[in-house]
Amino acid sequence: MNTLFQNLKLPLLVAVMLMTPVLVAAQAQDSRIQMSSLDHLTSKATQTVDVNIDERLIRLASKVFSDHGDEKEVKDLIAGIKGIYVKSFEFEADGQYTSADVESIRSQLRGPSWTRLMNFTSKKDGNLEVYLLLDGEKVGGLAVLSTDDREFTVVNIVGPVDVEKLSKLEGQMGVPELGIEFKKEKKNDK
Amino acid sequence: MKTNRITTLALLLRTFCLSLLCLFVATVLVQAKGDDFNSVVKLIEQFYGVKHQGIPFLAKAGMKVGTTAARIKGGTARRIAEAGSIKLAVFEDQAFDREFSQFRTSLNTALTATWTPLIQTIAGGGEEQTYIFMREAGDKFNVLVITIDQHDATVVQVNLSPKNLALLIKDPEGTGKAITEEATINDPE
């Protein structure tokens, strides 16, 4: 047994060292939702926005937000975030995206860890759905699905985020203006 | 017999670790390679059947874009980019009328191994396309901004300090436009 351990010690150590970043990355991706199923909408849309900001870039960006007023709030809001991913489509006519497109996102948010928050509305027309990924008491991520006849937007924030201040992120770091309004009410499950 | 099995297992693990190590080194080497700026320019030329104008040609023709780019290269009009760090290719008065989604796919395939796509916007069903990619370059960052509209296109690669990269992340669309404008619009200064 001792010989086995001695023979395997070094290779195991190397394997663990090499695999650690992969495992850490995989864990951080838990609340990352896959949006590539929507790529085909790009050719139908009049306006497409695709944003990918990972943790390293967020850390860098946080340095340029000042410690005063709204900028301080945004800085605090993004402090623990590990990624911001956005796909947004605007169309010239109705019916350019299908319920299957919406379902490709919603189906990922039906997992046991995701909870739909009912106390969000949008100042704009259309439907706004906000989902939170909870790991016990901790918030692990957030997804916003905003749809109307001619618009389809998905925002995915990976990592802990203060949902009450979500609207502060609109217009920052590629997050579009969705007119998010938070009402202080009880949160309900789906 | 038992010792043989242990030795075989250890050998297998060593081989596995070596393979992982090779993969790791290969990834690092791929990341370090290459002039992707020229690849992107060639990709645009091949896909759209267009030809870019070099800065000397533009300057000779007295076009504002050339002189400004030259001045930026000399550092006089520098604001966002670091001195001497700008690579610029301009396509003027040509037809960019092919279906864009294939181009988008080719561009992303060509770049995503070494660059991170930061923001991509497509407007007017492909009439206006903007792609911003970034990658680390020592203590600075390379940023590649590609803009294409119906008749013109620009490819700009700049080195940004972490502070200016942060500005880009804070407002990707605005700062991306500023980078292209800095490289191509005449400054009265």
Side-chain angles (χ1 to χ4, degrees):
Chain A
M1 198 61 190
N2 218 9
T3 322
L4 174 69
F5 181 72
Q6 276 170 355
N7 271 318
L8 298 183
K9 198 166 56 176
L10 186 65
L12 273 174
L13 190 67
V14 174
V16 167
M17 280 169 64
L18 288 170
M19 292 305 286
T20 301
V22 178
L23 294 172
V24 169
Q27 209 169 26
Q29 300 290 314
D30 279 350
S31 55
R32 174 102 187 252
I33 55 175
Q34 292 306 311
M35 304 189 212
S36 55
S37 60
L38 305 177
D39 283 347
H40 71 101
L41 295 175
T42 305
S43 56
K44 298 178 184 175
T46 49
Q47 171 96 31
T48 303
V49 178
D50 194 339
V51 178
N52 294 279
I53 299 176
D54 63 20
E55 186 176 11
R56 191 173 41 114
L57 296 180
I58 289 170
R59 297 288 81 79
L60 270 170
S62 68
K63 290 176 189 162
V64 294
F65 288 97
S66 76
D67 287 320
H68 309 285
D70 277 359
E71 293 224 340
K72 163 96 171 88
E73 285 195 78
V74 176
K75 193 175 185 172
D76 293 344
L77 187 61
I78 62 172
I81 290 177
K82 293 178 166 49
I84 298 176
Y85 305 93
V86 178
K87 265 197 203 290
S88 179
F89 304 94
E90 281 178 36
F91 306 97
E92 213 162 39
D94 295 0
Q96 296 299 300
Y97 65 89
T98 65
S99 53
D101 294 321
V102 181
E103 191 53 27
S104 71
I105 302 300
R106 271 202 197 119
S107 61
Q108 299 176 59
L109 305 170
R110 283 204 195 98
S113 311
W114 286 98
T115 302
R116 182 171 171 192
L117 303 177
M118 304 303 285
N119 42 0
F120 281 91
T121 54
S122 175
K123 291 174 209 161
K124 295 165 78 179
D125 291 337
N127 184 38
L128 183 83
E129 297 169 29
V130 178
Y131 296 84
L132 206 57
L133 182 89
L134 290 169
D135 178 14
E137 290 291 298
K138 281 165 65 181
V139 174
L142 180 136
V144 179
L145 187 56
S146 171
T147 51
D148 76 13
D149 294 340
R150 296 184 182 186
E151 270 187 51
F152 185 6
T153 299
V154 185
V155 178
N156 181 203
I157 296 173
V158 178
V161 60
D162 182 348
V163 287
E164 293 185 24
K165 292 179 182 166
L166 185 59
S167 60
K168 296 281 177 195
L169 268 184
E170 288 181 79
Q172 303 277 356
M173 305 176 85
V175 176
E177 301 279 353
L178 298 171
I180 295 171
E181 278 186 314
F182 175 73
K183 289 178 184 165
K184 283 210 166 190
E185 289 167 15
K186 279 195 298 184
K187 89 186 171 193
N188 298 319
D189 283 349
K190 287 178 279 188
Chain B
M1 189 66 177
K2 197 176 175 185
T3 318
N4 274 348
R5 227 183 279 159
I6 291 166
T7 315
T8 313
L9 195 59
L11 267 173
L12 274 172
L13 256 173
R14 269 186 203 147
T15 314
F16 173 70
C17 291
L18 267 175
S19 310
L20 271 180
L21 198 63
C22 288
L23 190 70
F24 183 71
V25 170
T27 311
V28 170
L29 285 176
V30 165
Q31 279 177 352
K33 81 156 183 125
D35 183 359
D36 293 320
F37 174 83
N38 285 334
S39 307
V40 170
V41 172
K42 273 200 183 111
L43 179 67
I44 294 174
E45 289 184 336
Q46 283 166 4
F47 186 84
Y48 287 104
V50 293
K51 204 86 188 126
H52 81 280
Q53 289 104 21
I55 289 169
F57 169 79
L58 291 167
K60 205 174 166 183
M63 295 172 104
K64 61 184 183 181
V65 68
T67 51
T68 305
R71 279 204 291 135
I72 290 168
K73 280 202 156 189
T76 54
R78 171 170 57 88
R79 281 187 298 266
I80 295 173
E82 299 297 302
S85 69
I86 290 184
K87 289 181 184 179
L88 172 69
V90 178
F91 302 77
E92 285 191 324
D93 298 324
Q94 299 179 67
F96 294 87
D97 50 9
R98 280 190 66 189
E99 216 281 312
F100 70 93
S101 55
Q102 175 91 46
F103 172 75
R104 186 183 187 222
T105 307
S106 306
L107 182 68
N108 282 316
T109 306
L111 293 180
T112 44
T114 47
W115 295 78
T116 304
L118 184 61
I119 182 166
Q120 308 196 345
T121 63
I122 315 282
E127 286 175 7
E128 287 171 31
Q129 304 172 55
T130 305
Y131 305 90
I132 303 176
F133 293 86
M134 60 137 297
R135 71 178 176 193
E136 277 184 75
D139 59 348
K140 297 205 167 54
F141 295 87
N142 291 154
V143 173
L144 189 59
V145 183
I146 301 142
T147 53
I148 300 173
D149 65 29
Q150 282 179 294
H151 302 292
D152 304 310
T154 312
V155 183
V156 187
Q157 184 178 316
V158 292
N159 276 1
L160 294 188
S161 64
K163 191 184 165 204
N164 282 330
L165 180 78
L167 285 173
L168 177 70
I169 299 158
K170 187 182 175 192
D171 178 14
E173 256 187 297
T175 312
K177 267 183 200 157
I179 288 170
T180 304
E181 281 170 8
E182 181 175 305
T184 55
I185 292 174
N186 205 0
D187 194 326
E189 181 193 357

